Amino acid sequence: MTAPQIYVIFPGTAREALRFYADVFGGELSLFSYQEFNRDDGPADAIAHGVLSGAVAVAGADAAAGQASVRSEGLMLSLLGTSEPAVLHRWFDILSDGGRVVDPLGVKSWGAADGQVIDRYGLHWLIGYELAP
């Protein structure tokens, strides 16, 4: 079964945001402009479609004229157990830069480690891992 992939409509910041996620998570980033897609419903250099493939996959585009951009409530992107603890801590720290820590990444009363951060582009991440026995 294929897992859903997040596709974010950004308010004119898709190039910057997707490059940021590529810096955080690594992987291969492909960006295509409105001009390359022969679109005239936004600036020629706006991103019509961008894809980050790798350990964490994110795709997105810049909002077209009149299109709403990302607003998130009651939704988190979970990276629970997706990598080694040191990597998850690094990702959390980088996502926190310019964002807002909702709950610091640390050991919780139920015996696992997790935390939440809303990054500078408004995406809410849940990051954590099980502790070694």
Side-chain angles (χ1 to χ4, degrees):
M1 179 174 192
T2 302
Q5 181 180 18
I6 183 170
Y7 199 101
V8 182
I9 303 300
F10 293 98
T13 58
R15 181 182 315 276
E16 178 183 321
L18 291 169
R19 284 183 175 160
F20 172 72
Y21 298 128
D23 288 344
V24 174
F25 303 117
E28 184 177 330
L29 179 62
S30 300
L31 298 172
F32 302 94
S33 69
Y34 272 44
Q35 182 176 21
E36 290 171 299
F37 273 29
N38 295 317
R39 289 181 59 178
D40 60 5
D41 54 341
D45 64 341
I47 298 302
H49 180 64
V51 178
L52 174 63
S53 301
V56 176
V58 180
D62 285 316
Q67 184 180 24
S69 59
V70 68
R71 281 186 225 64
S72 174
E73 268 186 44
L75 175 74
M76 290 184 281
L77 305 175
S78 174
L79 296 176
L80 295 173
T82 57
S83 193
E84 297 299 315
V87 171
L88 293 168
H89 277 275
R90 183 170 46 84
W91 289 349
F92 189 92
D93 291 344
I94 297 169
L95 290 167
S96 299
D97 186 21
R100 179 172 64 88
V101 173
V102 176
D103 182 27
L105 177 53
V107 177
K108 305 302 185 206
S109 60
W110 55 88
D114 74 27
Q116 299 176 37
V117 60
I118 299 173
D119 71 33
R120 63 180 83 171
Y121 299 101
L123 298 186
H124 192 155
W125 299 89
L126 173 62
I127 300 174
Y129 52 91
E130 296 294 325
L131 300 176

